[in-house]
Structures are given as C-alpha cells and as structure tokens.
Amino acid sequence: MALNSLGREIPDSYAGKRLVPYGDAWSLRPEGTVAARPVKRVNPGQGKRLSSLREAIEASGLADGMTIATHHSLRNGDFLLNRIVAEIAAMGLKGIWIASSSVHPVHAEIIPHIKSGVIAGFQCGVNGLIGELASRGELSCPIVVRTHGGRARSIIEGSVKIDVAFIAAPCCDEYGNMNGYYGPSACGSLGYAQIDAGYASCVVAVTDNLVPFPAVPVGIPQTLVDYVVAVDRLGDPAKIVSTTTRVTTDPVGLQIASYASQVIEASGLLKDGFSFQTGSGGISLAVAEKVRNAMRKGSIKGSFGCGGITGYFVEMLEEGLFSALMDVQCFDQEAVRSIGVNRAHQEISADMYANPFNAGSVVNRLDCVILGATEVDTAFNVNVNTESNGYLLHNTGGHSDTAAGAKLSIIVAPSIRGRLPIVRDRVTTITTPGDTIGVVVTERGIAVNDRHAELKEELIRRKLPVKDIADLQREICRVTGTPRPLEFEDEVVAAIEYRDGSIIDVVRRVKE
Amino acid sequence: MADFKLRRSLLYVPGNMPSMLQNIPIFNCDSVIIDLEDAVPLAEKDAARHLVKRFLLNYTDRNKELLVRINPLDSKWGYEDLKVVLPAMPDGIRLPKADTPEIVERLDTLLTEFEEELEVEIGRFGILPSLESALGVINAVGIANSSERIFALAFGAEDYTASMEIERSRGGEELFNARTRVLWAAKAKGIQAVDTIFADVSDMEGLRAETELAKRLGYTGKCLVNPRQIEVVHDVFAPKEHEVEYALQVIEAIKRARQLGTGVIALGGKMVDAPVVKRAARVLRTAYAHGMVDTLIDEEEIHGAQ
C-alpha cells in the first residue's frame, strides 16, 4: 500500500499487475516500442466470411483467460457484447477478460456470466449495474477504469493485450472494409474500434449491413480484418445514438451555462481559431448555444469542435463557425448524417483524440472544454466515476484527457443534487486531478483555480460571482447541511487509472 | 439621483415553493418579488407567509432587492402578511390593486407602525404600487404622490385588461394609453416605472419586442415570471456601446465646460447642457451595472462643485 501524490491509498498490485501510484499529470514517460501482433497473409481467392459468431470465435482461437474487446459506439443500443459473451459461455470458455471501450447498462445481461466465471474481469470502466453490484460486494471481478486516451495508450503500449476484437460494423463488405456511416445500425465514427483493429491479435468484423465490395469510405481497412460475420441486428437503432441533444430549459442549468459562457468570453480564448469541446448534456448544450451566439456576434471563425459530436456542433460546422469537427464518437443522428457527407467532419481514432503517449493528440490543441462532475473538492479534484452513495456507476470517458489537454477546462455542475452538495472536502473518488481543472461553475458562484490568476481577475472585473471554492462549499452546505461521510471496506473493487497508466484512485467496497 | 438603483428585472417567485425560494440568491435579476397573492392558493396562504419569513431570515448575504407582494389590504390576508413578513426585513412591499391614493396611504401608515414597533428607521420599507385597473391608471398621478416610500410605479396589464373587459394582444396596442399614463405619473414624480409581465415563457422574441417597446416609451424595468427571461430583459436595457461612448464624451465635455466656467458646451456640433448630461450620467450608471465601464461616475463631475 502506498499513498499517491493526491493522498489516496493505492495497493501495490491489482488484478495481477503492479500499480504505479499517480504522481502528476505530466511527468510519467513511456518506454519501449509499441505493441506488436502477428504478421499475416491472405492469398487471392481466400475468403473472410464466416457464417456465425460461434464460428468466428472458434476461428479466432479464443481460449480460457484471453481478452476480448468491443466498441461502445452503439452505446446503450449495443447487442453485440451480450451475444458474444452468451456464445462464449455456451462454448464453455472460462476466465475471459473484457477490454471494451466502455460497458453500458444494457450489458447487465452478462452479470450471470461474471458470477459463473465465464467473465473474469474488466480492463475498462463500466456504466450501470455491474459497477454497482461490484461496489456492494455482490460481484467479484476486477475493474480497471480507463480514460478514452488511456485505453488507447494501454493497448498501443501493450499493457493491455486484446486477443480478439469483435467490431460492430454498421457498413461492411465481405473483405472487411467498414465504416459507421450507413446502415440500420449507423453510429458514425468508429474512433474507438480503430485502436482494436490495429492492435488485436485477431479482428472479427460483425455487421448487419453487408454491402458489395468495397465499402467506402473506408473507416477501418480490410488489411486489419481477419473475419467477417453477418448477423441480423447489431443493435437497437432507437438507442444507438439516442442522446437527447436538447438545450436545458431549467433556469438553474441556464444560469450555470450563462456563467460558463461568460467565463469563456472572459478567457480571451474566444477568437479566430477557437477550438472547443462540450458534452451532450442539457447544460453543456446550453453553453454551446451561447458560445455559438457569441461567435456569430463577433464574427469569430473557430478552428475545430472536438469529442463526442452532436448536431449542435454540426450546425456550427455547416454555418462556418468551425472549419472542422474532430469526431471520435457521434452522439446523435445529426452527427451520424454529417460525418457521412461533410468532408470537414473528420473521423479520428481514440489514439489521435486523447492518447498522452504519442506524438501529440487532438486534446492538446483544445482551447476550451466543458465537463461535468458528480462531485468536486476544494482542491478542484473531480469525480465522475462514483456517486454520493459510493457506487461505481460511470465510466471516465475523455474527462481527464481533455481536462489535461485543453488550455481551459470548465466544470459545470449544479451546486446541489438531490439534497447533496456537489463541492466536498474530498471527492469520493478522484477521476481527474485538480491540477488540470481551470474553473468550477455552479449556479451559486464560479471558483477559479489559482493557476488561472489572470482569468480570475478578469471575471471579477466583469462582476461575475467569483468565489473561493471553500467559501462556495460553505455556502452550499449552509443550504444542504454537511453529509455524513461514507464508510468503505478495505476491499478494492476497481482501480481508476489516470491517462498515463498511473493509479489516481481506487474504488472500495461500500460498507452497507 | 444619488439613490439610483437599477431595477431592470423584477422576478416573481411564488412564496409557497421552497425549491424556488432557495434559488433566489443565484439569479442575477435586480429585484425579486416574492408572491403571497395570486401564486398562492387559499389553503396555503398561512404556510406561505411563514415559509417566506423563514427564507428571508436565513438569507443573510442579500444580493438583490427583496420585495414581497402581499394580498390586497382589504382581503383577510393582507394585514397578516405584513405582520409575519416585515420582521424578516424585506426591502419593500408590492401592493396589488393600488387603485387609489388612499389605499397606498393606508399601507404607508401600517408600515410606519411596524417600523416603530420593530425599531427600525421610518421609511425603511419601500412601496411598489401596482396600477392594474382602469381606476388605478386614472389615479396614477395621485398614487405616485401618495407616499414618499414609493420608489417606482408598476403597471399590471393582466388585471388591467380584465378591468377593461378586453383581451391582451401580442402587440400590446390596447395598453398604449395606460402605459403612457403610468409613465407620465412616474416621471413627473421623478421615480421609476416598471412594465408589466410577459406571460409566454417560451416566446423570447415576443418578450424582446415588448421590452424594447417599454424601454422606448421610458420604462426602466420589467416584471418577470421566469428566470429565463432575465437575460433578454437585461440585454434590452443594456446601453449600446455607441451610447456609452457618447456618454463618456459628454461627461468629458461638461468637465471641460466647468473648467471654462460654463454649463453649456458643443460636442460634435451639438449642444451639451444639463439634460444631455443627465441622460449621459444615467447611461453610464446603467453601463456600470452591466460591467461595461469600470468606475461609477462622480456626482460632482456631473453637477459641478457646489
């Protein structure tokens, strides 16, 4: 057991690996070369089509203890991971690790297979019931939570080895060329799957939309794909890109958005060449709308919009407010439509998006990112993984990556959720270190990290409600009272890996 | 002029809703009107006034003007509203159905009695009378002069159109005479005029058009039914940049004039004298509140040393 630099107790090892305690966001340097995989040869006349998932699993050579991966671009509409795990279970395989880009509530179906030992653990974060059950001690499987960039890093550097990648391919030909743009399960960008395709020992494309060769544009090329399987459905289209992209009408949310957009204007970053990322939540979109209006008003021509892309960003591209979109994942149907027709709507891999260990990722070029939080503490550390009940309920996504990369990272959150204050002495779990957070915006005030002293002065000059984060906390607690701290057992149910592979925190079993 | 107080946005908040009262500190409206009258059902009148009292007592870091709309004084709740709420020190009372000067005088007397009882300065509690009937509009001048506590007149179009037996239209042509009469009374008395609510919360274009009309006529503020309306109203009442620039030039010019020992000077071929300076000063004070200029202007600069 060692304390990391943020004071969190980190065990020496977890899930069979030695852990490196987090030190800071910048210093850890990679060693060695990128991971290798078998060289292959496919001769003329040799086909790749297989008739079923079972046949593909058999052909892939998947064996007990190996690691599989899927991508989460179909989000909560994904059928594939559940079907593969059911097939693996039926084949009698045991101890399989899942290293998908994320696991969603729909995948609660695999819980019986975790209990029976078919699934050994997760080399990725989980959303929903699996994490909750693990937190309550009802599921025993290691979970290593990674950022989007961190996942790409772990695969490329070889610390996570994917034996078989099953890639849901919304548009695919029989030789394995694929894209996510067209078909009944169209999800747009295949940014996460690009890493799996490039580094897994065996790559299986699974499609419900087999098109005549060649499937163009080529998102993932035939040269990386070993087998192609056609299935009836990859997912439920209603849930694939189902994010409700609507600006909030809640006055509290709008107040937060208004402050956040004023922070952006005051930052001096909002000028020609502006680059921006925001999520798909109601407050984030409200910020985006205000930024859009400010860009129109000031005739500002932005550089790029980044991240999970929504219809809002598409409108900004088509209006000429951005010259490009850098898209690792599409959040709604409008984004899916756009990536299929707009040349400046660029699909990027999770490596290019956010990996800290390459020759420079897109997040490094971000001016400003808007991020959420379940909790923030007085050292600006942010939690997005666990909730106030201590349960692991959310994956990290690109949170820590963009916070580290952007010149200005802004957390937007209501000061009170339910009856609970969101600013705490100590967040339950540290997802993103406070050193990489610029500003915390709530409806009750704006807290600025000391490393942005000039911005703080400018906000005060503009008469915005700038408050010391500890004062803000006290003010909120005057309304809510101070919650009793949660109690945890010693048992570690998940490790929270920072983007560089060091361990920023662990999630422990909640004392019930 | 010394007690210049910006009242662009006066937000109604129902007095019987804890979740909404709790958010009063966070909205950047200039004033809040906590409503004990129309928003509160009869069965909750008593509970609401106690809730409002508790809220006000706990709201120690006050960051905006707090008014309470009591029930009419001739109702069975009006007096009790004052009795419960005034010890929690609101800034003033919004008096509904202020149809005659006598009604306002009665409130003035009551407030004086409470001030004596609470041992606070006489005149501490302000009055914002609502002119919201044909009678109230006709009596506007008398009402404006009925109490020194009155800092503004508020026009209430919903009740007014009901009293006129007409419908309220989106363009608001039917309100024109009443709006103007309320304004005349306010301006003649040297107090502010506050325009009526705009009820359709989803129609921001309509809100903007109506606020622009009110501003053109001479209103300096508007009552709001939803926090989402604040931004549009502030945007309309914000001075335009060229207005601020011109106002700064006017103040510079008049300072030069004073050095020359005169009260009149030409600026860009136009005469600058007291009314122009007064208007410029008003623009600059509003600009200050909007964060458009950094310093409040000095009274002495405007009027010259005595």
Side-chain angles (χ1 to χ4, degrees), chain A residues 168-172 177-182 187-188 190 215-220 347:
Chain A
C171 176
C172 186
N177 295 299
M178 68 178 96
N179 64 57
Y181 306 165
Y182 316 114
C187 61
L190 291 176
V216 285
V218 175
I220 291 173
E347 182 169 345

Side-chain angles (χ1 to χ4, degrees), chain A residues 249 251-252 254-255 258-259 290 416 443-444 461 463 478-479, chain B residues 22-23 25-28 61 226-228 231 288 291 293-294:
Chain A
T249 54
V252 171
L254 286 169
Q255 178 73 67
S258 167
Y259 286 152
K290 286 171 192 299
I416 300 169
E443 79 282 14
R444 276 170 211 275
R461 200 189 71 73
K463 300 198 178 61
R478 270 208 298 277
V479 180
Chain B
Q22 169 211 288
N23 282 330
I26 71 169
F27 296 118
N28 58 354
D61 291 340
N226 189 297
R228 282 157 58 194
E231 198 176 316
Y288 177 77
V293 293
D294 285 339

Side-chain angles (χ1 to χ4, degrees), chain A residues 199-340:
Chain A
Y199 292 86
S201 297
C202 178
V203 177
V204 179
V206 184
T207 186
D208 57 0
N209 179 32
L210 197 65
V211 299
F213 181 92
V216 285
V218 175
I220 291 173
Q222 61 190 45
T223 53
L224 301 174
V225 178
D226 299 286
Y227 303 109
V228 176
V229 178
V231 295
D232 52 344
R233 308 232 31 84
L234 282 176
D236 176 356
K239 294 178 184 159
I240 288 175
V241 274
S242 59
T243 319
T244 40
T245 50
R246 202 165 299 146
V247 173
T248 184
T249 54
D250 166 39
V252 171
L254 286 169
Q255 178 73 67
I256 296 167
S258 167
Y259 286 152
S261 66
Q262 291 178 72
V263 169
I264 296 171
E265 290 191 52
S267 71
L269 296 167
L270 193 58
K271 55 189 182 203
D272 283 351
F274 179 62
S275 57
F276 186 43
Q277 173 165 341
T278 176
S280 58
I283 297 178
S284 295
L285 288 178
V287 180
E289 179 165 270
K290 286 171 192 299
V291 166
R292 173 167 69 178
N293 289 338
M295 289 174 80
R296 279 179 185 156
K297 214 167 159 183
S299 303
I300 292 162
K301 169 90 179 164
S303 165
F304 69 94
C306 180
I309 296 295
T310 61
Y312 253 87
F313 271 31
V314 170
E315 283 174 28
M316 289 172 81
L317 173 75
E318 293 181 344
E319 202 182 318
L321 295 175
F322 286 130
S323 44
L325 298 180
M326 303 298 252
D327 187 345
V328 71
Q329 179 183 13
C330 295
F331 276 150
D332 59 22
Q333 292 293 351
E334 210 15 50
V336 174
R337 176 198 66 78
S338 165
I339 201 170

Side-chain angles (χ1 to χ4, degrees), chain B residues 187-204:
Chain B
K187 298 291 174 182
K189 174 69 182 169
I191 55 179
Q192 295 177 340
V194 177
D195 193 37
T196 185
I197 59 150
F198 186 79
D200 187 348
V201 174
S202 57
D203 182 6
M204 290 298 161

Side-chain angles (χ1 to χ4, degrees), chain B residues 84-226:
Chain B
V84 173
V85 166
L86 287 178
M89 297 296 151
D91 294 306
I93 296 299
R94 167 127 188 184
L95 181 65
K97 304 189 175 54
D99 292 340
T100 64
E102 291 72 28
I103 295 176
V104 181
E105 282 161 13
R106 210 175 127 217
L107 176 63
D108 184 302
T109 307
L110 287 172
L111 290 178
T112 304
E113 285 171 18
F114 279 110
E115 281 161 349
E116 282 167 352
E117 196 182 312
L118 295 165
E119 295 179 353
V120 297
E121 178 198 348
I122 303 300
R124 187 196 177 288
F125 299 120
I127 297 178
L128 176 61
S130 284
L131 310 188
E132 48 190 355
S133 69
L135 185 58
V137 170
I138 288 170
N139 285 329
V141 177
I143 291 167
N145 288 289
S146 63
S147 164
E148 288 306 310
R149 296 173 187 272
I150 298 177
F151 52 83
L153 296 183
F155 174 54
E158 302 294 327
D159 286 298
Y160 169 77
T161 46
S163 84
M164 293 291 289
E165 300 175 329
I166 54 174
E167 294 290 319
R168 191 174 166 190
S169 73
R170 195 160 180 268
E173 295 83 358
E174 69 287 352
L175 302 177
F176 186 75
N177 280 327
R179 269 202 175 113
T180 313
R181 188 172 168 86
V182 171
L183 260 176
W184 282 337
K187 298 291 174 182
K189 174 69 182 169
I191 55 179
Q192 295 177 340
V194 177
D195 193 37
T196 185
I197 59 150
F198 186 79
D200 187 348
V201 174
S202 57
D203 182 6
M204 290 298 161
E205 289 307 307
L207 172 66
R208 180 176 292 276
E210 186 172 281
T211 310
E212 277 169 353
L213 170 68
K215 183 191 177 189
R216 266 202 312 281
L217 290 175
Y219 281 89
T220 49
K222 193 158 177 64
C223 288
L224 312 178
V225 292
N226 189 297

